[in-house]
mmCIF file of all heavy atoms in Angstrom:
data_model
loop_
_atom_site.group_PDB
_atom_site.id
_atom_site.type_symbol
_atom_site.label_atom_id
_atom_site.label_comp_id
_atom_site.label_asym_id
_atom_site.label_seq_id
_atom_site.Cartn_x
_atom_site.Cartn_y
_atom_site.Cartn_z
ATOM 1 N N VAL L 148 -26.500 -6.238 -15.576
ATOM 2 C CA VAL L 148 -25.224 -5.564 -15.342
ATOM 3 C C VAL L 148 -24.351 -6.400 -14.420
ATOM 4 O O VAL L 148 -23.148 -6.583 -14.661
ATOM 5 C CB VAL L 148 -25.451 -4.160 -14.751
ATOM 6 C CG1 VAL L 148 -24.130 -3.539 -14.301
ATOM 7 C CG2 VAL L 148 -26.137 -3.258 -15.767
ATOM 8 N N GLN L 149 -24.951 -6.925 -13.377
ATOM 9 C CA GLN L 149 -24.205 -7.748 -12.423
ATOM 10 C C GLN L 149 -23.645 -8.999 -13.101
ATOM 11 O O GLN L 149 -22.456 -9.300 -12.993
ATOM 12 C CB GLN L 149 -25.127 -8.138 -11.266
ATOM 13 C CG GLN L 149 -24.437 -8.948 -10.176
ATOM 14 C CD GLN L 149 -25.306 -9.087 -8.932
ATOM 15 O OE1 GLN L 149 -26.260 -8.347 -8.742
ATOM 16 N NE2 GLN L 149 -24.974 -10.028 -8.086
ATOM 17 N N ARG L 150 -24.500 -9.698 -13.834
ATOM 18 C CA ARG L 150 -24.107 -10.960 -14.464
ATOM 19 C C ARG L 150 -23.028 -10.755 -15.532
ATOM 20 O O ARG L 150 -21.987 -11.421 -15.525
ATOM 21 C CB ARG L 150 -25.337 -11.608 -15.101
ATOM 22 C CG ARG L 150 -25.055 -12.919 -15.823
ATOM 23 C CD ARG L 150 -26.326 -13.537 -16.369
ATOM 24 N NE ARG L 150 -26.875 -12.816 -17.515
ATOM 25 C CZ ARG L 150 -27.985 -12.089 -17.499
ATOM 26 N NH1 ARG L 150 -28.662 -11.954 -16.365
ATOM 27 N NH2 ARG L 150 -28.430 -11.485 -18.583
ATOM 28 N N ILE L 151 -23.261 -9.824 -16.443
ATOM 29 C CA ILE L 151 -22.355 -9.672 -17.580
ATOM 30 C C ILE L 151 -21.035 -9.034 -17.166
ATOM 31 O O ILE L 151 -19.970 -9.408 -17.663
ATOM 32 C CB ILE L 151 -23.035 -8.871 -18.707
ATOM 33 C CG1 ILE L 151 -24.299 -9.588 -19.170
ATOM 34 C CG2 ILE L 151 -22.092 -8.710 -19.891
ATOM 35 C CD1 ILE L 151 -25.151 -8.809 -20.151
ATOM 36 N N SER L 152 -21.082 -8.091 -16.240
ATOM 37 C CA SER L 152 -19.837 -7.473 -15.767
ATOM 38 C C SER L 152 -18.933 -8.515 -15.118
ATOM 39 O O SER L 152 -17.705 -8.484 -15.279
ATOM 40 C CB SER L 152 -20.147 -6.357 -14.769
ATOM 41 O OG SER L 152 -20.869 -5.310 -15.384
ATOM 42 N N ARG L 153 -19.535 -9.451 -14.399
ATOM 43 C CA ARG L 153 -18.740 -10.516 -13.775
ATOM 44 C C ARG L 153 -18.244 -11.515 -14.826
ATOM 45 O O ARG L 153 -17.099 -11.965 -14.764
ATOM 46 C CB ARG L 153 -19.566 -11.226 -12.698
ATOM 47 C CG ARG L 153 -19.693 -10.425 -11.402
ATOM 48 C CD ARG L 153 -20.512 -11.162 -10.356
ATOM 49 N NE ARG L 153 -20.095 -12.546 -10.197
ATOM 50 C CZ ARG L 153 -18.998 -12.942 -9.557
ATOM 51 N NH1 ARG L 153 -18.199 -12.055 -8.993
ATOM 52 N NH2 ARG L 153 -18.706 -14.225 -9.462
ATOM 53 N N ARG L 154 -19.089 -11.863 -15.774
ATOM 54 C CA ARG L 154 -18.658 -12.803 -16.815
ATOM 55 C C ARG L 154 -17.480 -12.245 -17.613
ATOM 56 O O ARG L 154 -16.570 -12.981 -18.000
ATOM 57 C CB ARG L 154 -19.821 -13.118 -17.760
ATOM 58 C CG ARG L 154 -20.855 -14.043 -17.168
ATOM 59 C CD ARG L 154 -22.001 -14.283 -18.133
ATOM 60 N NE ARG L 154 -22.952 -15.248 -17.602
ATOM 61 C CZ ARG L 154 -24.099 -15.574 -18.189
ATOM 62 N NH1 ARG L 154 -24.450 -14.998 -19.330
ATOM 63 N NH2 ARG L 154 -24.895 -16.467 -17.638
ATOM 64 N N LEU L 155 -17.513 -10.962 -17.874
ATOM 65 C CA LEU L 155 -16.443 -10.333 -18.644
ATOM 66 C C LEU L 155 -15.185 -10.098 -17.814
ATOM 67 O O LEU L 155 -14.143 -9.725 -18.354
ATOM 68 C CB LEU L 155 -16.931 -8.996 -19.208
ATOM 69 C CG LEU L 155 -17.924 -9.085 -20.371
ATOM 70 C CD1 LEU L 155 -18.562 -7.727 -20.632
ATOM 71 C CD2 LEU L 155 -17.231 -9.594 -21.631
ATOM 72 N N GLY L 156 -15.282 -10.291 -16.507
ATOM 73 C CA GLY L 156 -14.139 -10.062 -15.640
ATOM 74 C C GLY L 156 -13.896 -8.596 -15.339
ATOM 75 O O GLY L 156 -12.839 -8.213 -14.840
ATOM 76 N N ILE L 157 -14.901 -7.755 -15.621
ATOM 77 C CA ILE L 157 -14.776 -6.329 -15.333
ATOM 78 C C ILE L 157 -14.812 -6.099 -13.824
ATOM 79 O O ILE L 157 -14.172 -5.192 -13.300
ATOM 80 C CB ILE L 157 -15.897 -5.547 -16.043
ATOM 81 C CG1 ILE L 157 -15.682 -5.621 -17.561
ATOM 82 C CG2 ILE L 157 -15.942 -4.097 -15.582
ATOM 83 C CD1 ILE L 157 -16.834 -5.055 -18.376
ATOM 84 N N THR L 158 -15.547 -6.940 -13.128
ATOM 85 C CA THR L 158 -15.572 -6.895 -11.668
ATOM 86 C C THR L 158 -15.627 -8.316 -11.129
ATOM 87 O O THR L 158 -16.114 -9.220 -11.800
ATOM 88 C CB THR L 158 -16.790 -6.100 -11.152
ATOM 89 O OG1 THR L 158 -16.738 -6.037 -9.710
ATOM 90 C CG2 THR L 158 -18.091 -6.751 -11.568
ATOM 91 N N GLU L 159 -15.096 -8.481 -9.930
ATOM 92 C CA GLU L 159 -15.195 -9.767 -9.245
ATOM 93 C C GLU L 159 -16.098 -9.664 -8.021
ATOM 94 O O GLU L 159 -16.244 -10.623 -7.271
ATOM 95 C CB GLU L 159 -13.801 -10.255 -8.838
ATOM 96 C CG GLU L 159 -12.897 -10.560 -10.026
ATOM 97 C CD GLU L 159 -11.512 -11.021 -9.594
ATOM 98 O OE1 GLU L 159 -11.227 -11.005 -8.371
ATOM 99 O OE2 GLU L 159 -10.721 -11.404 -10.471
#
Side-chain angles (χ1 to χ4, degrees):
V148 171
Q149 183 169 343
R150 179 177 72 251
I151 300 172
S152 296
R153 283 180 48 76
R154 285 178 176 175
L155 287 167
I157 293 172
T158 182
E159 295 179 355

